[in-house]
Amino acid sequence: MKTIYTDISTLTKDKPVTYLTEDVVFGGSTFRVQSIASFVGVSTSSGQVVCIGKLGEERTELLRTSNTTAYNPSQAYKEITLRDTLIFDHPQDTPVSIVDWNRIDIQHAATATGTK
């Protein structure tokens, strides 16, 4: 059996990041963050994929957004709404960033030209 290694660190590199302003619990689908200024387009019909936590760490989640509150610097809070519910609890100050993908497809063949 061959081990295949992947580098997932590039998924959040140079991506907008914000932080939870309060604890969120399992089953929740809306959470408040410090800023949504860089989270443009999260209200699109297809949503965006957000990473809640740090990639590679236990309990990090990749979930698609549903919509957000409009950005207004004077708002008391900024919310992000998810299409699905959270699987884990996340404490205040957990990082939230946008990522391009929520899955990878790794294929292998016995030879370089083999069917994958």
Side-chain angles (χ1 to χ4, degrees):
M1 175 157 59
K2 182 175 179 147
T3 302
I4 298 174
Y5 298 95
T6 60
D7 179 13
I8 60 172
S9 65
T10 59
L11 289 176
T12 56
K13 184 177 180 182
D14 301 326
K15 300 291 184 190
V17 65
T18 188
Y19 299 89
L20 296 177
T21 58
E22 58 193 20
D23 296 347
V24 294
V25 296
F26 157 82
S29 62
T30 301
F31 54 88
R32 294 180 179 174
V33 293
Q34 291 176 358
S35 173
I36 59 171
S38 297
F39 287 66
V40 295
V42 288
S43 61
T44 63
S45 60
S46 62
Q48 283 183 321
V49 179
V50 292
C51 175
I52 305 164
K54 294 181 181 177
L55 288 175
E57 290 186 2
E58 190 174 358
R59 299 184 177 259
T60 294
E61 299 185 61
L62 297 176
L63 294 167
R64 189 170 296 278
T65 63
S66 175
N67 58 37
T68 66
T69 54
Y71 178 67
N72 180 341
S74 63
Q75 275 181 279
Y77 59 87
K78 288 81 178 163
E79 286 186 341
I80 294 177
T81 303
L82 302 169
R83 286 180 24 183
D84 299 308
T85 58
L86 294 163
I87 299 171
F88 301 110
D89 296 341
H90 298 280
Q92 181 178 345
D93 296 324
T94 297
V96 177
S97 57
I98 295 173
V99 295
D100 294 325
W101 304 281
N102 61 351
R103 66 185 81 171
I104 61 172
D105 182 14
I106 300 172
Q107 299 184 12
H108 172 73
T111 64
T113 58
T115 303
K116 297 174 186 66

